[in-house]
Amino acid sequence: MRHTLAVLVENNPGVLARVAGLFSRRGFNIDSLAVGTTENPTISRMTIVVEGDDLTLEQVEKQLHKLVDVIKINDLTSDEYVGREMVLIKVNAGPAERAEIMQIADIFRARIIDLGRRSVTIECTGDERKVRALEESLRPFGIKELVRTGKVAVLRGAKTTSLDGNGKNKKGEED
Amino acid sequence: MTGAEILVKSLKEEGVDTIFGYPGGVVLPIYDALYDADIRHILVRHEQGAAHAADGYARASGRTGVCLATSGPGATNLVTGIANAHMDSVPMVAITGQVVTKLLGRDSFQEADITGITLPITKHNYLVRDVGDIARTIKEAFYIASTGRPGPVLVDIPKDVSAGAGEYEDPGVLNLPGYRPVCSPRDEDLRAAARLILAAERPVIYAGGGVIISGADRELRALAELLCAPVTATLMGIGGFPADHPLYLGMLGMHGTRYANYAVCECDLLIAVGARFDDRVTGKVESFAPEAKIVHIDIDPAEIRKNVRVDVAVVGDVKKVLAGLMPMLSARVKGAWQEKIEAWKREYPLEYANGGKLKPQTVIREIYRVTGGRGRITTEVGQNQMWTAQFFPFTRPRSFITSGGLGTMGYGLPAAIGVQAACPDETVFDIAGDGSIQMNIQELMTAVNYNLPVNVAIINNGFLGMVRQWQELFYDRRYSHTELANPDFVKLAEAYGAKGVRVSKAADVADVLIDAVRTSGPVMMDFLVDGEENVIPIVPPGASLEEMIG
């Protein structure tokens, strides 16, 4: 099963290498990883999408916790959360196809952000299913380039994954 | 003050009395600060020796071992020793010099990304970029290395940082939000474990290195005696339970005793105490302890369910967990289970065929006899190590010091130097093989230099013995590149300024050993033993424990 982990880490040089190295040497599969600083500039937040059964996920979380730079881990999958990724897609588009492509973009509430003589570039934000559906719809025109951010996610409602928020602390106890 | 002086002051604050190291270009400021510092520095002959010596020092004393090397090759030479300490949870702080910060990342002379290289083999590591960070970093490094599940921490210090000017400031209370080891067990976990233990009819305690690290040997013995439960030890757990105790089963696993492995196969409860279900212990993991419920006690939550299913997990310091469990349990008396095990012990004792050529096991038995079992023993890796584990009855924690997880040939001699430095009044032996001793034999010069009177007993069979044994058993006796041409170890010892002795007859072993123990400096003994003696029993790789050969 796919899990979405929100991981708060010290914003130290090398922290990404520590996390990425852990996943590769222990054979855990990362689907995506997005990282950036939080409202607190000394803390970064990683959103890691990882595939695995319950035992694998237990190991992923425990091994991550052994990294001194990892402060908090929250598996959002067990809760209601909103997940979004952004994708930029450059599609082959001569004057004849433009209208149809713009119509597709409209349907997905995507935006045209650049236009060339033979191509358009579309920006789309949404969950994985929406982004995949857009990609499929554009594929017949010929996708020249596609780049995605990886998923970022937050819990629904008032609950948070901040340092004093909901989620699991180091001892694996609910706060 | 210079950064180097702040470093030395910080080390003193941590109570460091000995450093094993090797100078070089970018650690010149540090060596200058050490020149008149009140810290003993032992100059090794290869940085790998420094790491293993710091490791041996730590295992023997329980204190954090410290090694120091220059950048580039100095740092990379530490790598094997750091990985070794990491696998066996040894508290160590490795300090490396680094090129000046403005040359970092430019493939400068003697630059190696040692923090990158050691990411997977350290508990944590640091690159110190500012003089003002040295004191806090060193305090954090020692705290992380020595608490929770111990391990090595590396601190990389660029030359301009160690040479830079600053003042020592007490770092005060550390702020490590991402490092909060769990030491005290939860009550409900203790109660769940106690329920399983009270319901068990055929319990076995499986004790690992965690018993020794947490100093829980008394608690373990009390638990075993209360439950009348037999105790088997992992390689790392040897010494955590007295080998002369009637409840002791010896080591389990690949070269375990038959009775230990049978007991694990037939027990209905396995109590794992500070052990991690290594593949050399479990054999085929699917058929490990097939009839048993498993209680797993460990300080590292990540060890729980990493390799085997577990019925009750208790996360915490082994000593605290065992102390917490005792009042929840009631005394048991000997019954059918204990009698069955005693019958196995009588039926399948650990023995070897004596007679003919000198046997390796005879040498090890004699070392035990001559030292009265009171010495500290290190080993190299391979047959010498397994025979020592089998035939030397260790009764005290921290008396058997060996490379378990990584299986590092060349560990024993530098480790023995570290042990001797930590325990100057004790007899220290390195039980070695003729192959592995040559991997760090240069450290004999260190022992001579500092008059550390280690005794090296080379079990010389003219082979890379353990590999040869596997070739005999599993590769149709095709001894591919395992026969060794060896130097004259006696002359070599003498060239280093140590005493060298060669022994080929069983009748001479005891006298030579007694003489070695009485000698005030290092002695290297070359025991010419039966070349094709095997370590038995052996569980073939991938087989279950009950499928022992020999």
Side-chain angles (χ1 to χ4, degrees):
Chain A
M1 183 184 158
R2 267 187 168 183
H3 290 253
T4 302
L5 307 181
V7 183
L8 296 180
V9 300
E10 302 266 7
N11 188 14
N12 287 341
V15 65
L16 182 60
R18 289 180 200 276
V19 171
L22 169 67
F23 274 77
S24 75
R25 74 176 173 271
R26 297 227 177 238
F28 303 141
N29 293 318
I30 298 187
D31 280 3
S32 74
L33 190 157
V35 58
T37 52
T38 61
E39 70 281 5
N40 176 346
T42 68
I43 308 285
S44 289
R45 175 159 165 161
M46 297 184 178
T47 306
I48 305 176
V49 180
V50 54
E51 175 83 39
D53 58 20
D54 288 352
L55 270 180
T56 307
L57 256 292
E58 182 182 336
Q59 270 297 305
V60 168
E61 287 193 37
K62 286 172 164 178
Q63 294 293 348
L64 277 172
H65 264 313
K66 286 178 73 165
L67 299 177
V68 172
D69 284 339
V70 170
I71 302 167
K72 189 168 191 167
I73 302 167
N74 197 357
D75 186 351
L76 304 178
T77 321
S78 55
D79 221 325
E80 287 292 317
Y81 74 96
V82 190
R84 291 288 181 271
E85 66 177 330
M86 189 175 89
V87 65
L88 301 179
I89 308 175
K90 190 175 286 183
V91 193
N92 283 326
E97 291 95 21
R98 266 184 207 161
E100 192 181 347
I101 288 172
M102 288 169 82
Q103 206 176 7
I104 290 171
D106 254 2
I107 292 168
F108 285 93
R109 277 180 286 166
R111 298 196 299 150
I112 308 291
I113 54 168
D114 190 44
L115 196 64
R117 257 166 36 88
R118 312 198 57 82
S119 71
V120 293
T121 301
I122 298 167
E123 170 201 313
C124 176
T125 303
D127 63 15
E128 292 156 279
R129 280 180 11 224
K130 173 178 163 184
V131 170
R132 206 179 315 127
L134 173 64
E135 187 185 337
E136 288 313 311
S137 305
L138 295 173
R139 193 175 296 283
F141 300 95
I143 294 174
K144 291 164 72 76
E145 203 174 355
L146 187 151
V147 53
R148 53 190 359 139
T149 57
K151 182 157 79 174
V152 293
V154 287
L155 289 170
R156 285 191 185 274
K159 287 193 276 188
T160 64
T161 309
S162 59
L163 282 185
D164 44 5
N166 180 273
K168 288 191 176 123
N169 63 22
K170 273 270 169 171
K171 289 183 180 171
E173 294 157 348
E174 298 288 332
D175 282 339
Chain B
M1 286 173 93
T2 65
E5 286 165 347
I6 295 171
L7 169 68
V8 169
K9 162 96 173 133
S10 304
L11 294 173
K12 295 282 291 176
E13 289 292 318
E14 296 299 326
V16 173
D17 61 6
T18 307
I19 294 176
F20 303 90
Y22 204 100
V26 296
V27 285
L28 276 164
I30 299 175
Y31 272 86
D32 192 58
L34 284 172
Y35 187 64
D36 44 15
D38 182 22
I39 292 181
R40 171 171 58 162
H41 177 275
I42 293 179
L43 174 67
V44 295
R45 293 321 192 251
H46 184 293
E47 290 89 348
Q48 187 186 348
H52 290 327
D55 172 313
Y57 175 96
R59 293 195 211 210
S61 66
R63 298 194 296 273
T64 301
V66 182
C67 55
L68 169 60
T70 193
S71 63
T76 56
N77 277 346
L78 291 177
V79 166
T80 301
I82 293 170
N84 188 72
H86 190 245
M87 287 286 260
D88 289 347
S89 308
V90 177
M92 179 194 287
V93 171
I95 299 164
T96 48
Q98 182 55 278
V99 300
V100 295
T101 44
K102 73 174 197 310
L103 287 181
L104 275 170
R106 295 169 186 243
D107 303 319
S108 314
F109 177 65
Q110 291 194 329
E111 181 186 3
D113 173 17
I114 197 63
T115 47
I117 288 168
T118 58
L119 267 188
I121 54 162
T122 49
K123 190 168 169 187
H124 194 50
N125 64 24
Y126 297 88
L127 171 62
V128 184
R129 288 173 177 274
D130 191 287
V131 186
D133 292 337
I134 291 177
R136 182 185 47 79
T137 304
I138 293 297
K139 188 167 183 180
E140 285 185 10
F142 276 81
Y143 176 66
I144 291 170
S146 61
T147 53
R149 179 181 182 173
V153 177
L154 179 132
V155 181
D156 198 24
I157 308 178
K159 188 179 183 185
D160 53 325
V161 175
S162 60
E167 281 312 313
Y168 175 84
E169 273 178 54
D170 187 338
V173 180
L174 296 177
N175 175 30
L176 291 165
Y179 181 70
R180 281 174 280 171
V182 181
C183 290
S184 299
R186 299 195 301 193
D187 253 4
E188 63 258 43
D189 295 340
L190 287 174
R191 280 196 297 274
R195 274 197 297 279
L196 280 192
I197 294 170
L198 288 169
E201 288 174 3
R202 303 188 306 279
V204 166
I205 297 172
Y206 146 51
V211 171
I212 292 167
I213 293 168
S214 81
D217 49 300
R218 281 162 196 269
E219 287 78 4
L220 175 65
R221 184 173 176 164
L223 177 76
E225 288 175 350
L226 181 77
L227 300 174
C228 210
V231 177
T232 179
T234 68
L235 186 68
M236 302 313 300
I238 286 176
F241 191 82
D244 53 3
H245 195 286
L247 286 169
Y248 190 56
L249 298 174
M251 186 168 70
L252 81 164
M254 181 172 275
H255 292 297
T257 62
R258 277 192 175 265
Y259 37 94
N261 285 341
Y262 286 154
V264 169
C265 289
E266 291 199 15
C267 67
D268 69 348
L269 178 71
L270 189 68
I271 309 169
V273 186
R276 59 181 177 87
F277 298 89
D278 179 82
D279 54 279
R280 285 296 194 265
V281 160
T282 61
K284 187 178 172 190
V285 75
E286 296 79 14
S287 51
F288 178 70
E291 298 176 25
K293 289 205 184 306
I294 296 178
V295 171
H296 191 179
I297 299 167
D298 205 282
I299 198 163
D300 182 357
E303 288 301 339
I304 311 295
R305 283 183 288 275
K306 187 181 80 180
N307 294 338
V308 297
R309 74 203 149 77
V310 168
D311 296 279
V312 171
V314 189
V315 174
D317 179 72
V318 164
K319 192 181 176 87
K320 286 186 179 168
V321 173
L322 296 187
L325 266 179
M326 286 296 281
M328 300 179 178
L329 303 172
S330 50
R332 295 290 196 86
V333 291
K334 221 161 104 171
W337 173 235
Q338 288 77 4
E339 280 162 21
K340 187 171 196 178
I341 285 171
E342 280 169 17
W344 282 331
K345 282 170 113 171
R346 285 190 299 272
E347 197 174 343
Y348 307 107
L350 256 188
E351 32 177 35
Y352 62 98
N354 211 344
K357 288 186 185 160
L358 175 60
K359 295 289 183 180
Q361 299 94 329
T362 303
V363 178
I364 289 159
R365 279 265 159 94
E366 286 297 307
I367 294 173
Y368 170 73
R369 219 172 50 82
V370 165
T371 56
R374 284 185 299 277
R376 307 261 187 170
I377 310 293
T378 71
T379 72
E380 305 289 339
V381 165
Q383 288 184 317
N384 59 82
Q385 176 187 37
M386 289 298 114
W387 282 318
T388 306
Q390 291 179 329
F391 289 96
F392 195 109
F394 291 93
T395 53
R396 292 182 308 142
R398 303 190 182 281
S399 58
F400 177 51
I401 288 162
T402 196
S403 165
L406 197 66
T408 311
M409 289 173 71
Y411 172 77
L413 176 55
I417 288 169
V419 173
Q420 190 78 75
C423 313
D425 302 325
E426 296 193 49
T427 300
V428 179
F429 268 87
D430 168 29
I431 297 179
D434 48 314
S436 46
I437 190 63
Q438 293 184 69
M439 283 213 182
N440 271 320
I441 198 158
Q442 77 286 346
E443 297 310 324
L444 193 55
M445 195 60 235
T446 309
V448 170
N449 192 169
Y450 293 89
N451 197 29
L452 295 164
V454 298
N455 302 289
V456 182
I458 302 174
I459 309 292
N460 186 348
N461 53 18
F463 282 106
L464 296 172
M466 188 59 94
V467 183
R468 184 210 56 76
Q469 172 172 338
W470 282 46
Q471 288 171 335
E472 177 188 334
L473 296 175
F474 311 122
Y475 291 86
D476 203 20
R477 297 180 76 96
R478 287 156 57 85
Y479 292 166
S480 180
H481 303 280
T482 44
E483 198 169 350
L484 280 180
N486 284 323
D488 181 330
F489 288 113
V490 173
K491 280 190 189 159
L492 192 57
E494 287 165 355
Y496 277 117
K499 189 169 170 180
V501 199
R502 182 166 297 114
V503 187
S504 55
K505 290 204 291 282
D508 300 335
V509 173
D511 285 347
V512 166
L513 289 171
I514 290 166
D515 191 50
V517 170
R518 284 182 187 155
T519 303
S520 58
V523 181
M524 183 174 267
M525 290 153 277
D526 183 18
F527 293 100
L528 302 178
V529 299
D530 192 346
E532 296 190 57
E533 182 73 9
N534 285 337
V535 179
I536 52 168
I538 172 172
V539 177
S544 356
L545 292 188
E546 59 202 348
E547 300 171 64
M548 281 164 285
I549 303 173

